[in-house]
Amino acid sequence: MKQKIMSGMRPTGKLHLGHYLGVIDNWVKLQDEYDCYFSVADWHALTTKYDKTETLRQDTIDIVTDWLACGIDPNKSTIYVQSLVPETAELHIYLSMITPQNWVERDPTLKDMAKILKSKEGMGMQVNYGLMGYPVLMTADILTFNADLVPVGIDQVAHVELTRDIVRRFNNIYNTDFFVEPQPKLNECSLICGLDGNKMGKSFHNDIKISDSAEVTAKKVMTAITDRSRIKKDDIGHPDECEVAFKYWKIFGDENEVETVAEECKCAKRGCADCKRQLGAKINERMKEIREKRTYYEQHPELVEKIIKEGSEKARIEAQKVLKKVRELVRMY
Ligand code: TRP
Ligand code: SF4
């Protein structure tokens, strides 16, 4: 039997190249070898955005459209929406009962989230009860399928460690070995920075979206930071100090291309504008198929909806098996 993989993302709007290269492309590669469950974590979105739900439905459709475009295949993997699998909420309750409060309080990612919210207290933000349960809810996601592996970024590893602690405690209290201790599987990511050299993020306005057209992508690439010491076209360039454009070349170009770019840059044979025009074309080449697929799904929202519904039903069937066992173990009526 194949090992099981579970991972998820909060629906926070259209995804960018950082998500594609850092997360989704990894998921795509895991689909053949593992039995994969990928969740749109809409309850997790509510932990901080409970009062901004107008876009939640569209954000969910958008994120699934991005996944499909990038190559997540509903015939191989189960794509579902967290809130369409209520078994996870029930499991969250059982897990909440056995998780010591100080375990969640010491979770570093949660601490960071709480700190940000507290700094906005004046703006009506606060830490609610539900947010404290964030890592327990994530544990419930993972255990809903009794997953073996959880592909995540480094910032989520602490949550998975907590999941392992909760599994040990559950198994111990209910005298069972039913739940497996899941392992975090670090994304092998080619970390792509934003156009300004900082972390790529939608709120920083330095991202390239998967859904951006070829024209928009090319235009954005023209704004990428280069070697700041290079002012005139015949100044020699320093690829290693080219803060963004050359880094992108290393991600999107092949070895020969990268070498040519570096050499021509160093002897001022290549200007930055030309260099970035070529780079834009290169990125567009890589994104072409994804973009075509995305357009197709965008024009067939009923298909995306069908995939979400069917995936969620499939997920529920598995979830019900796990919950039946859990209810027995906890000795519920
Ligand atoms: N907390 C994760 C994040 O913010 C998203 C997530 C929700 C998740 N449920 C999950 C990740 C289960 C892995 C497994 O990125
Ligand atoms: Fe960067 Fe290309 Fe300009 Fe060299 S020519 S500094 S690699 S953008």
Side-chain angles (χ1 to χ4, degrees), residues 185-235:
K185 187 172 166 52
L186 267 188
N187 293 329
E188 298 165 22
C189 50
S190 26
L191 255 192
I192 184 168
C193 63
L195 292 158
D196 58 0
N198 297 315
K199 186 178 178 223
M200 190 178 276
K202 108 172 163 170
S203 46
F204 310 133
H205 304 288
N206 64 357
D207 63 349
I208 300 174
K209 301 256 195 297
I210 293 168
S211 51
D212 282 341
S213 67
E215 294 71 36
V216 169
T217 302
K219 228 170 144 180
K220 283 186 176 177
V221 171
M222 292 310 286
T223 69
I225 305 273
T226 62
D227 173 359
R228 292 177 201 263
S229 71
R230 212 176 169 202
I231 306 194
K232 296 194 302 296
K233 197 177 160 192
D234 41 0
D235 290 342

Side-chain angles (χ1 to χ4, degrees), residues 17 20-21 69 208 210 212-215 217-218 221 248-249 251-254 257 276-293:
L17 294 188
Y20 169 51
L21 297 168
I208 300 174
I210 293 168
D212 282 341
S213 67
E215 294 71 36
T217 302
V221 171
Y248 283 14
W249 268 115
I251 295 173
F252 292 96
D254 63 38
E257 284 165 329
K276 289 195 280 188
R277 246 187 302 279
Q278 270 184 34
L279 173 63
K282 193 79 213 163
I283 296 176
N284 279 332
E285 208 178 289
R286 166 93 174 253
M287 299 308 289
K288 185 165 181 283
E289 204 191 315
I290 291 176
R291 217 171 260 145
E292 283 166 2
K293 256 195 188 161

Side-chain angles (χ1 to χ4, degrees), residues 94-248:
Y94 302 127
L95 300 177
S96 303
M97 302 306 168
I98 64 158
T99 304
Q101 191 173 328
N102 62 358
W103 286 13
V104 292
E105 280 168 355
R106 69 178 185 225
D107 180 291
T109 306
L110 195 65
K111 268 192 194 158
D112 286 347
M113 288 170 96
K115 212 190 305 164
I116 294 171
L117 283 176
K118 284 208 175 106
S119 71
K120 294 182 180 166
E121 217 155 3
M123 295 154 67
M125 306 287 253
Q126 64 201 336
V127 178
N128 285 334
Y129 170 64
L131 180 67
M132 292 312 295
Y134 191 108
V136 185
L137 183 56
M138 188 164 144
T139 298
D141 282 336
I142 298 165
L143 300 192
T144 294
F145 307 101
N146 213 352
D148 301 281
L149 291 168
V150 187
V152 282
I154 190 87
D155 62 317
Q156 300 290 314
V157 170
H159 290 322
V160 184
E161 290 301 330
L162 181 70
T163 297
R164 293 165 61 81
D165 291 339
I166 295 176
V167 163
R168 275 196 296 275
R169 195 162 156 91
F170 182 97
N171 286 349
N172 186 20
I173 290 173
Y174 299 109
N175 196 17
T176 177
D177 56 6
F178 177 63
F179 282 125
V180 295
E181 271 182 55
Q183 298 275 0
K185 187 172 166 52
L186 267 188
N187 293 329
E188 298 165 22
C189 50
S190 26
L191 255 192
I192 184 168
C193 63
L195 292 158
D196 58 0
N198 297 315
K199 186 178 178 223
M200 190 178 276
K202 108 172 163 170
S203 46
F204 310 133
H205 304 288
N206 64 357
D207 63 349
I208 300 174
K209 301 256 195 297
I210 293 168
S211 51
D212 282 341
S213 67
E215 294 71 36
V216 169
T217 302
K219 228 170 144 180
K220 283 186 176 177
V221 171
M222 292 310 286
T223 69
I225 305 273
T226 62
D227 173 359
R228 292 177 201 263
S229 71
R230 212 176 169 202
I231 306 194
K232 296 194 302 296
K233 197 177 160 192
D234 41 0
D235 290 342
I236 56 158
H238 309 83
D240 293 334
E241 282 158 46
C242 175
E243 269 180 61
V244 178
F246 191 62
K247 285 189 190 151
Y248 283 14

